[in-house]
Each structure stands twice: as C-alpha cells, then as structure tokens.
Amino acid sequence: MSPVARTLAMVIATLTVMRNAEAPIAPCAAAIARDGLGVCCGTCGAALDPRAVGLRVGPPGAPWAKLARRGDPPAPAATHEVLTRHYHFTAVTTRPEFEALAAVLEPAWDAFAVELGAAPALAQDEWLRVYYFQDEPSWRAKVLTDCGHCPKAGGYYFPPTKTAYLYRQPTVYFTRVLLIHELLHQFHFLARTQNRKPTADWYAEGFAEHLSHHFWDGERLVLGVVPLASFENYATQARTKVATETFDLAAMIEGRVASTRPEQWALVRYLATREDTGARDAWTRLRRAMDDGAAAGAAFNRAIGSARELQPKLRAWLDATQEPWQPLWNEWEGIGDGRLRGISPGAVSACRVREPARAIAAAIEVPSAGDWAGGLLLSYVSGDDYTLGLVCADARVRVLRRLAGAWHALADRRVAPAKATPATRRVEARRDGPRVVFLVDGTEIGTFELPGESLGLAIQHCELRFKDASWTPLATPTR
Ligand SMILES: [Zn+2]
C-alpha cells in the first residue's frame, strides 16, 4: 500500500467502528481499584506478582461542598478500532480510554525505533495487531480463541500471530505501562530476535519493563524513566528483593532461580543507564548476544563481567534510584521532569514527597475550562489526619484539616484572579518546626500548626497538572 493509501486508510479507520455494545463501566478510581490486580506480562506465561499493590481512594466526603462535582456519566463501552501508520488497534472499552491509549501507539513506535536502531519490516498491507480489553475474562476469551492457550497475566504477546493482547490494570499509568510493554515485546521480537523469545526472562521482561516506564503528557512520550510516583513502585520492590541475604544475581542471570518484574526492571535499567567507562558498549554487546539467542550466563560474563562483583553495585544503585513521590490516593503519575498529573473525579486525592520535606513549590496548570481545585498537601500523618491547601477555579483559597472523620476550615479567603493564558497558580509551603506557612502566587494565606513531616500535592474532584514541582528535604539546613 502506498503512503497516501495508508494515510487515507488511517483517516477512514479513525472514524471509530462501534459494535458489540457492552455494559457501561464506572470510570471512577474506586471502580478501577476493585478490578483485578494483574501486573505481569505473559510472554512466558508468568504468574501474577502476589505483591501487587492494592489501591486506595481518597475520602468520599467533600471538604469543599460547592465543588462536590462528580465525574461525567460513565461512557458506554464498545468495540473501537483504528489503523495508525503501523498499528491496527482494537479496544473493547470506552471511547475516552480507547482514544487515550491509541494516542500512544505511534509515539511508542518512533521511540522504539530510536532505542533499538531497527524496526519491524511490515508488508505494504500489514499493520501490527493489538487488542485491549477492560477485564481479564474478556481478554482471556480472546487469547484462548486466537492462541489456544492463555497465561495468567495482564498481557500477552503471541509470536505466531505477531499479536499483542492486554487488559486494564489497576491504574491509568500502569495500564499505559503494560500497553507499551506489550508493544515493545512485539517490536523487539520482530525487529531484533527473528520473533523468538530470548533465552532469559530477566532480559526479555526487564527490557520491556525498563522502556515501558515512561513520561507521557499527551504529546511527548519519554521511555525508560524512573516514574515520579507509582503505586507499583518497582524501585522499592527491587531494593527490598536485592537486599535480602539470599538474593543471588548470578543465579538470576543464569536462570537457576526465578525472578520477578521489579528486579528484572532494576537489572536492565542499571545495565542500560550506568555511566561507568565502557558501560554503554557493554550493554550493546549483551543486547546483541541476547537478541541472537545466546545463553544468558555466558553472554553476561563476556559482555559485562562477573555478576558476583556487580551485585553490590546494583544494590547501591537501587538505594539511590527511588521514586521521589508517593501517591497516597489514586491517581497520580509523573508526566515529565517536575511535572505531575492527578486524576480524582470523585474524591480528594494527594501525593507526597517520599522523604520528610522542609519546603515544597509547584505551579498548577490552570485548566482552560471547567471547575477545579488543587494545591498542596500541607501535612499528612495518616488517612485521617492531614491538611490541604486548595486553590479553586474562582480564586478562592481554603486550608482544610481532616481530623477524626471531619473537615475543619483553617483559612478561607480570596486571592487575585489568575492572569494570562495559559494561566498558572504557584503554590508554596514551608515548614519551620510545627508551623507551616502556605502561599499562593506569593501571597501568604496563613501559618498553621500542623503535625508530621510530609508535604505534597493535592486535588479535589478534577484532573489537574502541576509543573516545576520541587522540594527541600527536611534534613537540609535552613539558610
Ligand atoms: Zn512481558
């Protein structure tokens, strides 16, 4: 098919086909949290990770009654399809989720091509096939039909049909991670391994995990990052595993012991990003050998060296490579350096700096339309003892303490309306002993006596983006 015909087909197919309407779903955080906790790819039929983290949602009560806005009514699920330049994507879900996932496909292809230095050779009338489902039973039924078997997993790339299958994961972020993960297997196998699975799980899966951890702001996709804030938090899971006395990196590499996604992610990320002299060339040599089907132990020794000597370095690297933020309630994700997005259609939600903090600052990217409320988490001791400093769309600012199951207003005032378009609201807080001062666009809202050592970001009943987020650790002396 010519480029023009391909583009035309893409445009025509973008007019989504609706069929097989299914029962609507409730796209709220609580509904997603009740879904399964599948977190593992099934290229090898691996079992689910039993340590999958459950989700929590913010308190249902609305501290700001005026903003007690629920999310839009759930969109009905249907079968949506699109042909992009390289993908034929079918998703049985809501239109918003379908469109959000479809938008990632071509940026992922482009990023894979840069990372792997090659791309699958597609015939003129060939697109890579990808299926997405809302739940495990729908996914399983399709995989069984197409493949004749189905692993216990969250996604599956089946080489004989060159097709990737996956279903919704517990968070928006991890669903996108899994999509990129399965796309990566497909791309990697077709571009580099003659569509054969490499001999070692830690390599095939670790490579997919490393690249699928990403920043995505809706336009720009950056692969291979340490997430700013994720519930899955592979970095901490891997650090815990690698720190155990029985952890044996050589045995993991040689396949003598089973390994799970977090330490597979950690090993590949460490090898791919370390800055020692010759490390980049060593990683390239190892990749080439593994892609050619080499046995992992011998290939590792030739390209990298002694796993025994590397193990303490991997552990030290993990100590220094932790996610800087921690979601307290669903949903938060890093979308770029210093940029975070919170989604909470029906509740308060917050994330905090993972370490004790003395000061925090961020700029709210004011939405061009709609109601919103967002700002800072000024204290956090527990799910029933925390404080929010919220700016609202109408320039009202409130400081609210949640304690013993009730909201307490500590401040309520107006500030000057946001200027310019696109507008931002700069929010800052500084802790000095038991006192926390809160400022909006440089205007001091007040100083409050608040317990704990946590500072973070907060939203209520909206989706909101923050940029230029920064903090000062509590351990840093005051200047
Ligand atoms: Zn996988």
Side-chain angles (χ1 to χ4, degrees):
M1 182 180 288
S2 71
V4 172
R6 181 176 283 268
T7 302
L8 185 60
M10 177 178 71
V11 170
I12 292 170
T14 302
L15 301 171
T16 300
V17 178
M18 303 271 294
R19 63 184 187 224
N20 300 334
E22 297 188 350
I25 61 157
C28 69
I32 293 169
R34 283 196 302 272
D35 282 348
L37 291 172
V39 295
C40 293
C41 161
T43 293
C44 59
L48 294 176
D49 187 334
R51 294 167 304 178
V53 183
L55 298 184
R56 290 167 289 169
V57 295
W64 207 330
K66 184 181 160 193
L67 276 180
R69 183 176 74 114
R70 306 298 299 183
D72 295 331
T79 299
H80 305 277
E81 289 193 87
V82 65
L83 287 183
T84 67
R85 252 184 327 135
H86 301 102
Y87 292 100
H88 181 181
F89 180 49
T90 302
V92 185
T93 184
T94 62
R95 176 181 284 275
E97 185 173 45
F98 158 71
E99 291 177 347
L101 293 173
V104 178
L105 299 171
E106 288 303 324
W109 172 286
D110 293 342
F112 295 159
V114 171
E115 183 68 32
L116 276 77
L122 299 184
Q124 285 197 335
D125 58 351
E126 183 182 12
W127 285 262
L128 293 183
R129 205 71 180 89
V130 184
Y131 287 91
Y132 175 78
F133 299 90
Q134 292 180 102
D135 53 41
E136 199 270 352
S138 308
W139 168 83
R140 175 169 295 278
K142 178 62 176 170
V143 172
L144 280 171
T145 299
D146 285 9
C147 312
H149 64 278
C150 182
K152 189 176 180 184
Y156 189 45
Y157 170 62
F158 188 50
T161 58
K162 305 181 188 177
T163 300
Y165 310 83
L166 72 151
Y167 61 92
R168 179 186 293 149
Q169 299 300 296
T171 62
V172 170
Y173 180 68
F174 205 68
T175 295
R176 202 183 314 111
V177 166
L178 186 62
L179 173 64
I180 296 170
H181 177 123
E182 300 302 340
L183 295 176
L184 187 278
H185 279 320
Q186 186 182 47
F187 191 106
H188 180 204
F189 284 22
L190 294 172
R192 285 295 189 189
T193 75
Q194 298 183 314
N195 207 19
R196 291 186 309 232
K197 188 172 183 292
T199 58
D201 273 355
W202 66 261
Y203 172 69
E205 299 300 332
F207 191 41
E209 289 292 348
H210 164 51
L211 289 186
S212 63
H213 286 71
H214 66 277
F215 292 149
W216 169 246
D217 64 3
E219 296 178 358
R220 183 163 179 260
L221 180 67
V222 181
L223 301 183
V225 307
V226 177
L228 297 189
S230 76
F231 263 108
E232 293 74 18
N233 193 0
Y234 276 23
T236 295
Q237 288 195 51
R239 182 174 61 178
T240 302
K241 185 72 173 281
V242 171
T244 57
E245 276 189 24
T246 55
F247 180 75
D248 183 339
L249 182 62
M252 170 181 157
I253 289 167
E254 293 164 11
R256 288 185 279 113
V257 297
S259 54
T260 60
R261 298 297 177 263
E263 62 266 29
Q264 293 165 353
W265 164 84
L267 175 57
V268 169
R269 179 168 181 84
Y270 174 61
L271 295 174
T273 61
R274 66 193 178 131
E275 294 175 348
D276 316 26
T277 304
R280 177 172 286 273
D281 290 343
W283 168 236
T284 301
R285 284 197 301 276
L286 178 61
R287 268 171 57 175
R288 285 185 179 148
M290 297 304 295
D291 289 347
D292 289 343
F300 194 94
N301 284 334
R302 280 196 298 271
I304 307 294
S306 162
R308 199 172 302 280
E309 290 176 16
L310 198 74
Q311 184 168 328
K313 296 178 184 174
L314 174 64
R315 182 174 173 177
W317 173 82
L318 271 168
D319 286 340
T321 309
Q322 295 295 302
E323 295 183 12
W325 298 77
Q326 177 188 32
L328 294 167
W329 298 295
N330 212 4
E331 302 241 359
W332 291 87
E333 67 170 302
I335 59 173
D337 290 332
R339 301 177 66 200
L340 293 103
R341 178 176 73 145
I343 309 171
S344 183
V348 161
S349 184
C351 67
R352 65 174 171 177
V353 178
R354 193 169 291 277
E355 60 188 334
R358 177 184 302 284
I360 188 170
I364 298 166
E365 296 183 11
V366 174
S368 57
D371 215 352
W372 59 271
L376 297 180
L377 179 74
L378 300 176
S379 76
Y380 183 86
V381 176
S382 70
D384 197 38
D385 182 355
Y386 57 92
T387 310
L388 312 174
L390 296 176
V391 188
C392 179
D394 65 1
R396 197 171 172 189
V397 178
R398 270 190 170 184
V399 177
L400 298 141
R401 177 96 184 267
R402 177 78 174 182
L403 191 62
W407 292 104
H408 307 272
L410 306 184
D412 184 350
R413 58 175 291 182
R414 287 188 178 278
V415 292
K419 296 172 187 162
T421 304
T424 58
R425 287 287 197 185
R426 183 171 171 79
V427 284
E428 300 171 72
R430 293 191 292 273
R431 174 176 282 281
D432 182 8
R435 290 177 296 281
V436 176
V437 59
F438 176 47
L439 302 96
V440 176
D441 290 335
T443 298
E444 186 173 323
I445 305 302
T447 299
F448 312 93
E449 294 236 349
L450 300 172
E453 299 177 330
S454 288
L455 293 171
L457 306 176
I459 58 174
Q460 181 190 332
H461 296 185
C462 63
E463 174 178 336
L464 207 57
R465 293 176 177 220
F466 296 81
K467 65 179 182 179
D468 303 328
S470 64
W471 70 93
T472 306
L474 191 64
T476 306
T478 309
R479 290 180 189 172

